Amino acid sequence: MMKMLTAYTTEMDDNEAAVEELLAQLDLEHSLCAHAVGIVTCSAEFLESGVVGALREELPFDLVGGTTLESGVPGGAGMLALCVSVLTSDDVAFTPVWTEPLDDGVEPISDAYAKAAATILGKPAMMLCFFPIMYSVSAEIMLDKLE
């Protein structure tokens, strides 16, 4: 079984207050299972202000995600919101990997897949991909590389 925890904040000027608000909503002490990964969506301002970095330092699991024009979870949404969803499970493991820059083509996508696949038995049951917006390479080409 897998469950998802969600939280959001609109606080981007006080990193400590933002992280405190998010952690209170997630209630990790009572909700976290053996394995977890966090998925963050937010406007770029949350990266620039340091909120995402401060959150990453406080969480006992990896964060993935990206910037967006608007974010939302049950209970809150907005253009200036940071939303975090935590996938957590006792019997499903998560293996986040990042690619090297895609400046010279999509080969780093294959490398990242191989790195993740080497840590598990069999094929992955699910993948979440956060592809960059690039003018030189479409998301379709990136996805084809995974297939």
Side-chain angles (χ1 to χ4, degrees):
M1 179 182 84
M2 183 172 19
K3 61 183 177 176
M4 184 168 74
L5 315 171
T6 60
Y8 80 100
T9 186
T10 57
E11 177 58 63
M12 74 172 64
D13 297 322
D14 183 338
N15 295 353
E16 187 176 312
V19 171
E20 187 176 304
E21 181 180 10
L22 293 165
L23 292 176
Q25 291 174 53
L26 292 171
D27 190 23
L28 297 177
E29 184 178 329
H30 298 103
S31 306
L32 199 61
C33 299
H35 310 287
V37 66
I39 303 168
V40 173
T41 59
C42 61
S43 65
E45 286 89 343
F46 284 95
L47 293 167
E48 295 163 3
S49 71
V51 172
V52 173
L55 177 62
R56 186 181 67 235
E57 289 177 15
E58 292 296 320
L59 293 176
F61 46 80
D62 288 320
L63 287 177
V64 298
T67 58
T68 184
L69 295 177
E70 191 161 340
S71 295
V73 296
M79 289 181 70
L80 296 177
L82 179 147
C83 297
V84 60
S85 298
V86 178
L87 299 178
T88 187
S89 175
D90 285 326
D91 45 41
V92 176
F94 306 96
T95 307
V97 294
W98 293 261
T99 67
E100 294 298 320
L102 301 179
D103 300 332
D104 296 323
V106 295
E107 196 56 39
I109 293 172
S110 295
D111 297 341
Y113 179 86
K115 183 178 177 182
T119 67
I120 62 174
L121 298 172
K123 288 192 169 208
M126 179 176 85
M127 278 192 282
L128 297 175
C129 302
F130 299 92
F131 292 135
I133 297 173
M134 298 178 68
Y135 295 109
S136 59
V137 180
S138 72
E140 180 180 5
I141 292 171
M142 293 180 219
L143 190 57
D144 284 345
K145 192 65 174 174
L146 283 173
E147 292 181 314

